[in-house]
Amino acid sequence: MSQQASLHPMLNVAIKAARAAGAIINRASMDLDILKINTKSPNDFVTEVDQAAEKVIIETLLQAYPDHGILAEESGREYGAKHSEFVWIIDPLDGTTNFIHGLPMYCVSIALAHRGVVQQAVVYDPTRNDLFYATKGRGAFLNDRRLRVSKRTRLSDALIGTGFPFRRGDNFKRYMKMFEAVMVECAGLRRPGAAALDLCYVAAGYYDAFFETGLQPWDVAAGSLIITEAGGLIGNFTGEADFLHQREVVAGSPKIYGQLVQILAPYTRVITAEEAEGDAKPADGKAAGKKKTADAAGVVAADAAAAPKKRAAVRIRKDELGGEGA
């Protein structure tokens, strides 16, 4: 029996939704000249394709599970049940800038969190028809192939993925310092421009690790489960599990992850509740606010805002990723 035939019912619905969104994206990629593009903020774009893909995902999910909640990049918490224990976390098109330019590196990302723990994850690359997916406790897969993180143990041999800051207000100088600190210690750095896909590349062993700042929950929720189910580790820059709302993430095979955390720990920056107030803005531009975002996703550590300014670097095991902030 193929792996596909024995998937969890909720994962099957997520795959159906991801493929429907991928079909919309593929059709639109054939005629980029007529694409309508809006600017959310400088260098941060949204297209009618993002919105159409998100619409079909939400419709597919709520048709099957009308009592579930939704946290989506373009519409925030506008759809779905507001206080459900089940929340779908959706990025309909991660890598919009690549898509606009015809660079075939973008994907659909869908995760399901239950009581704060990501249980199901799908990342679909429509250009390659590559389907990455995982169910908590049942492993991670690319199409029908089981995924495992790489076996490399030395950072000097490692290929590391990253993402450059691009929004106004991002701390470019801080990023350049950490970029240099990592670059001189590893075999190479890559920046394709779609974080959800980058995380899957860690799970598949294409990268040995990945780090980025400025990410939102929908960028990392699905990829985080796919990585841990492939035997990898994921956390914030000090190795703690509250990365989803801290806008910083590092992931990798266990040995490389530990070495990368040591390099990145000095660059960590605790996000306060006030700073997170602008997180997860719906399409109309009104801030959802951290409280609403956290309630919807069920995935933020309750004491994240009260975390100390200096935190010791710690290793996070796969079995520690449950509970709040996972």
Side-chain angles (χ1 to χ4, degrees):
M1 184 172 65
S2 74
Q3 167 65 20
Q4 203 81 26
S6 60
L7 298 182
H8 191 284
M10 289 182 180
L11 184 61
N12 268 325
V13 171
I15 290 171
K16 179 183 176 184
R19 289 196 183 278
I24 289 171
I25 293 165
N26 274 342
R27 282 197 301 272
S29 72
M30 305 291 183
D31 209 348
L32 291 172
D33 290 343
I34 63 169
L35 194 65
K36 292 178 184 173
I37 302 166
N38 296 313
T39 304
K40 290 192 276 190
S41 62
N43 301 329
D44 194 2
F45 305 103
V46 60
T47 71
E48 56 192 338
V49 178
D50 295 71
Q51 292 161 341
E54 184 170 291
K55 184 171 183 285
V56 76
I57 291 169
I58 292 171
E59 285 175 353
T60 303
L61 297 176
L62 291 184
Q63 184 177 6
Y65 301 106
D67 296 331
H68 285 192
I70 299 286
L71 176 64
E73 177 170 14
E74 307 308 334
S75 57
R77 294 175 65 247
E78 188 178 334
Y79 300 99
K82 296 297 185 282
H83 304 292
S84 175
E85 292 181 347
F86 291 92
V87 178
W88 294 95
I89 308 171
I90 301 161
D91 191 339
L93 178 52
D94 187 24
T96 299
T97 303
N98 286 350
F99 173 77
I100 290 167
H101 288 81
L103 185 64
M105 294 176 180
Y106 43 82
C107 65
V108 180
S109 178
I110 303 172
L112 175 65
H114 177 245
R115 292 185 176 179
V117 181
V118 178
Q119 300 283 349
Q120 312 291 341
V122 175
V123 175
Y124 180 53
D125 176 351
T127 68
R128 296 169 184 79
N129 195 27
D130 275 347
L131 187 74
F132 297 87
Y133 56 93
T135 294
K136 189 170 179 64
R138 295 180 63 176
F141 295 83
L142 166 55
N143 302 322
D144 280 333
R145 179 171 65 85
R146 180 74 182 261
L147 294 180
R148 299 300 299 175
V149 294
S150 81
K151 293 183 171 62
R152 290 185 187 87
T153 58
R154 295 190 304 180
L155 189 58
S156 58
D157 296 331
L159 184 63
I160 310 293
T162 188
F164 302 148
F166 62 91
R167 296 180 184 89
R168 183 177 293 168
D170 287 340
N171 192 330
F172 294 98
K173 289 182 179 178
R174 170 171 161 258
Y175 182 83
M176 291 307 293
K177 288 176 182 175
M178 71 177 81
F179 184 85
E180 181 180 4
V182 174
M183 185 169 60
V184 298
E185 297 292 341
C186 70
L189 274 171
R190 299 290 182 267
R191 199 280 186 189
L197 211 48
D198 286 325
L199 292 170
C200 291
Y201 287 0
V202 173
Y206 305 159
Y207 296 150
D208 301 290
F210 171 80
F211 72 97
E212 188 168 352
T213 61
L215 295 176
Q216 298 284 7
W218 45 79
D219 296 313
V220 297
S224 68
L225 179 63
I226 292 169
I227 282 176
T228 56
E229 288 297 319
L233 300 171
I234 185 165
N236 62 21
F237 282 2
T238 55
E240 294 164 340
D242 62 338
F243 60 89
L244 267 174
H245 287 270
Q246 285 297 315
R247 298 195 209 136
E248 62 182 40
V249 67
V250 55
S253 57
K255 289 275 172 53
I256 303 299
Y257 172 88
Q259 294 168 69
L260 202 51
V261 162
Q262 288 185 318
I263 293 172
L264 294 174
Y267 301 98
T268 193
R269 183 170 176 274
V270 176
I271 302 296
T272 66
E274 290 75 19
E275 289 172 315
E277 194 68 26
D279 276 5
K281 291 185 180 181
D284 62 4
K286 296 176 183 175
K290 185 174 182 183
K291 177 79 168 65
K292 290 182 182 178
T293 309
D295 288 346
V299 287
V300 68
D303 59 352
K309 291 296 178 186
K310 291 184 180 178
R311 298 177 291 189
V314 294
R315 292 283 299 281
I316 294 297
R317 300 190 308 271
K318 179 180 169 183
D319 60 358
E320 288 177 322
L321 289 170
E324 289 190 333

